[in-house]
Amino acid sequence: MANSLKDKIGSSDLVTLMSAHNPLSARLAEEAGFDGVWASGFELSAAYGVPDASLLSLTQHLDMTRAIVEQVAIPVIADIDTGYGNAINVLHVVAAYAAAGSAAVVMEDKLFPKDTSLLAGGRQELVRIEEFQGKIAAACEAGKAHDLLVIARTEALIADLGLDEALRRGMAYAEAGANLLLVHSRRKTPDEIVAFTERWRGPVPLVIVPTAYPDLTEAKVRALGKIKIVIYANHAIRAAVSAMREAFAQIRRDGGIHQVDKQIASVEDIFDLQRVPAMKAAEKKYLR
Amino acid sequence: MANSLKDKIGSSDLVTLMSAHNPLSARLAEEAGFDGVWASGFELSAAYGVPDASLLSLTQHLDMTRAIVEQVAIPVIADIDTGYGNAINVLHVVAAYAAAGSAAVVMEDKLFPKDTSLLAGGRQELVRIEEFQGKIAAACEAGKAHDLLVIARTEALIADLGLDEALRRGMAYAEAGANLLLVHSRRKTPDEIVAFTERWRGPVPLVIVPTAYPDLTEAKVRALGKIKIVIYANHAIRAAVSAMREAFAQIRRDGGIHQVDKQIASVEDIFDLQRVPAMKAAEKKYLR
Amino acid sequence: MANSLKDKIGSSDLVTLMSAHNPLSARLAEEAGFDGVWASGFELSAAYGVPDASLLSLTQHLDMTRAIVEQVAIPVIADIDTGYGNAINVLHVVAAYAAAGSAAVVMEDKLFPKDTSLLAGGRQELVRIEEFQGKIAAACEAGKAHDLLVIARTEALIADLGLDEALRRGMAYAEAGANLLLVHSRRKTPDEIVAFTERWRGPVPLVIVPTAYPDLTEAKVRALGKIKIVIYANHAIRAAVSAMREAFAQIRRDGGIHQVDKQIASVEDIFDLQRVPAMKAAEKKYLR
Amino acid sequence: MANSLKDKIGSSDLVTLMSAHNPLSARLAEEAGFDGVWASGFELSAAYGVPDASLLSLTQHLDMTRAIVEQVAIPVIADIDTGYGNAINVLHVVAAYAAAGSAAVVMEDKLFPKDTSLLAGGRQELVRIEEFQGKIAAACEAGKAHDLLVIARTEALIADLGLDEALRRGMAYAEAGANLLLVHSRRKTPDEIVAFTERWRGPVPLVIVPTAYPDLTEAKVRALGKIKIVIYANHAIRAAVSAMREAFAQIRRDGGIHQVDKQIASVEDIFDLQRVPAMKAAEKKYLR
């Protein structure tokens, strides 16, 4: 089966991904026109009410990724955090994500158990470069049969190790076989990422996650060149939280749903998103 | 362990529940002040992108219910649809929901596999009364050790069988041991539910789900008497869908997240909902 | 991806399958030289300690089937019982088994929830022929993209409906698109199956499960013709049970493991079955 | 709910546990008269066909433990390996095992991802003592509400660090709150364990796993004193493997099941283990 993400990267100047924490949010991302879905560890952890700190199990994230893949036609990139252990775990884990239909995995160079990247005062220790190269090589091996892309993610800037270390790690990861390099930053402005991009001379394109520096628009990213994928990594859950909070508060205030009912998606809208019309057509065909 | 839902029903004139499709939406419901959480089959089906037609497995709904129970302090009522089969299945299923910490289950008198109740033209066949009485008795038996409440739900009005049949079924279900009776209606006005409530002479209180007739406010429900629980059964996912749609469309329009970023919950808000501060406190205590 | 079961059926006079309840038993079946694995609902139910009566969820059986597929190279046939509901469920279910890598599914014409076939006094009601034809057509549609084989299983003989009804149903199922027909019998002798086979004029080959009539050897099956697959459907769990019982009793009797230790597989044997040597080789390559 | 393991330890001179990899093997252990079940990570890994090296996810082991707890009346001790990460993971993990009904957890002082203990040439690095004390304190905190016992396991002898280090670690773990201490050895004779036991002056009783040194019978263990629990940690899967191997080979040799059928547990035996008679009684009561 061809990897449609590969095709998109080849043919497009910039591929944009939206995060999802379940198949419904993924379907809304597809409907909105995003090129792919980011099966986000942060969003799924939040959906389960726990910190994004290696608390969800492999099974929980893998099962949700598979459920997402089954319900959208656009490619799904899986956030596998640190790979759930060492290179041996990575072999096992990446084979499972590939079999589940992921187009790519993103693996980061933090120690297991990780802490979430944007948290002030989080635990942000990195593994040795050689160790992570072994993990990348293992991921490439495990994904090969399914033509899976391996995206190495360096947290060197998150860990305050500086541009030189980030560039050095990026280069080492590309040498180990990574197909793309994700460089993450928690600065409030794009300067750090822009500087990294300008200095990047590696053989693979870049991926960014502009959560902390929202002013780096797609137009500016295109102008920079070298960056092939932008991941909007937490906006599905953030939008959902605001809206549920408001709707719940209003129902409490109103002592009923009479106001809220007109302000939110209708039950029929949800039926459509659940593909009820397709089920009704299938009932005609197969229920005898 | 005491069943806190029982206490609430005993001490309050009206208990209100908000639907949830994951622990996060349940936590927001708790935060907003609802008395309990409705572990909704409709919402979970929607979250998985499939029709609410007995397509999700017992495991999928049970696992999510358990995850919700673990993350909120208010009672959780589980929507077990038709009980996943006959009375033997019900014994197995209800024991599992009770062990998972549900305060109550709602079981409906439709045939398996069911179709969703509010769908125009849905398949709405009911099981025989005697058969459903056996299922209720089985549910009571299976939940006894955990002091679980069994809420029988009649779809007689959904199936257009009329008030008399709905009342007859309600009475039979109470006789079989149900602790409360949920009567469902898809009329756009409260008339049918009001008429049912006025004629109800059964020995157990009523539960309603006013999705289709939002004008029946809590004040009006209190005035009616007899109704002890109101379930807002799909407003979490409906609010989330609207908000994700809007946010996604705006990001596409803007070519970036610079506008959306200020309009939705912040990343720090999500950290708080994930209980990151409690984790940081635990790190000080236990990471040595 | 080519369906290797199809190739085996085409090239071999008789394909033999051994049941499995986990990847380990599947691997032992592969090691012994069987052509494929039967992901048995009966065995998995027994492994979970519950009757084979539609109590295990779709997720439990599907997850185990996927785990088995991942650990053996021979084709896996999934026992999907009645298809977990109506034709709409079948569409959903068979798509999932196909995506999980099953080479074929076997679906039976009993009512959901089913009772196990060999139980004296079990509930053995069949669905209408037209209804089951719709389910077969749905299964074929859902499995098409993965070249999945659909094996229809008639329980007409189990339900004591006689040879004529069994033949009529078999023919109707073949017309609806089934690739093979499994005919099941609980007679202690092969006479009933032999009679069915001799009278079978349908366009598809037969599958049998000779649990109740062990005297029908493979040599006799070959001589009969028409039968392409023999499934040994419960011998893995039965062998395991006897052996665990004996070992446990002896340990209790001996007040220790000193005798048993020499009589059962060694820890090193288990390491080999777990593919520890392959892991050690991978450690040398990837742990840096 | 009272913790029945605590009662057994208090009232018995020696508690014996048998390993299980599914509810069926647990039920056979109960039937044989063992005091409790060891929800073994090694056996479950083997059942899934993978090395016992932190490859199975928390969900896979936790779900199986819960399924076992639901099907036996004797206490279940869960093997949680290294606790799936640091002390924060332990808080999360142990709370889940306690909620699932485990009577105790065993947590070992190896680095995550671990390697299996009895493997010649395995990776056997230990965490710092202070770090493991934090993990023990976290486990005690998380299990408190369910009266769970925390058993600390030291792999100091497995890692060839000598008796003194093993004793030092054991003492430190008891000080951190562990209720019992498991000391593991891979010597072929009991000498090392005997020496450890004789020198042990800690305030908590010991637990041993005599796989490698089968000659240490229960009578000898009783004579040693101080040891309160003996775990037979892998004999269920080892017995099952031998038996399946033999049965499969014989079926292949015989070209049929006619011989094997008489040598293994009957289908009716399996029905009994599945509690089919209880289901039939429930059918009479609840199927109407």
Side-chain angles (χ1 to χ4, degrees), chain A residues 188-218:
Chain A
K188 303 292 189 202
T189 68
D191 303 4
E192 194 176 51
I193 286 295
V194 168
F196 182 95
T197 305
E198 288 172 352
R199 290 184 52 190
W200 176 246
R201 296 283 173 273
V204 303
L206 300 177
V207 181
I208 62 167
V209 183
T211 301
Y213 46 94
D215 292 339
L216 194 66
T217 61
E218 294 168 19

Side-chain angles (χ1 to χ4, degrees), chain A residues 50 54-55 57-60 84-86 88-89 92 112-113 123, chain D residues 50 54-55 57-60 84-86 88-89 92 112-113 123:
Chain A
V50 300
S54 302
L55 295 175
S57 78
L58 166 60
T59 299
Q60 290 176 297
Y84 296 90
N86 64 17
I88 299 304
N89 295 273
H92 180 75
F112 177 93
R123 294 169 276 116
Chain D
V50 299
S54 302
L55 294 174
S57 78
L58 165 60
T59 299
Q60 288 176 300
Y84 296 92
N86 64 17
I88 299 303
N89 294 273
H92 181 76
F112 176 93
R123 293 169 276 114

Side-chain angles (χ1 to χ4, degrees), chain A residues 214-282:
Chain A
D215 292 339
L216 194 66
T217 61
E218 294 168 19
K220 291 179 191 165
V221 171
R222 280 191 186 87
L224 275 175
K226 299 181 192 166
I227 298 171
K228 268 296 188 181
I229 303 181
V230 171
I231 302 178
Y232 300 124
N234 40 58
H235 301 78
I237 205 96
R238 288 166 60 193
V241 161
S242 305
M244 289 190 284
R245 256 191 182 143
E246 282 168 32
F248 293 178
Q250 185 171 352
I251 292 170
R252 296 288 299 165
R253 228 164 28 232
D254 294 346
I257 53 178
H258 45 292
Q259 304 279 357
V260 152
D261 185 60
K262 298 152 213 152
Q263 296 159 0
I264 59 179
S266 69
V267 170
E268 287 71 27
D269 284 343
I270 309 297
F271 288 163
D272 284 345
L273 283 165
Q274 292 174 297
R275 307 272 153 93
V276 168
M279 180 178 76
K280 291 295 143 188

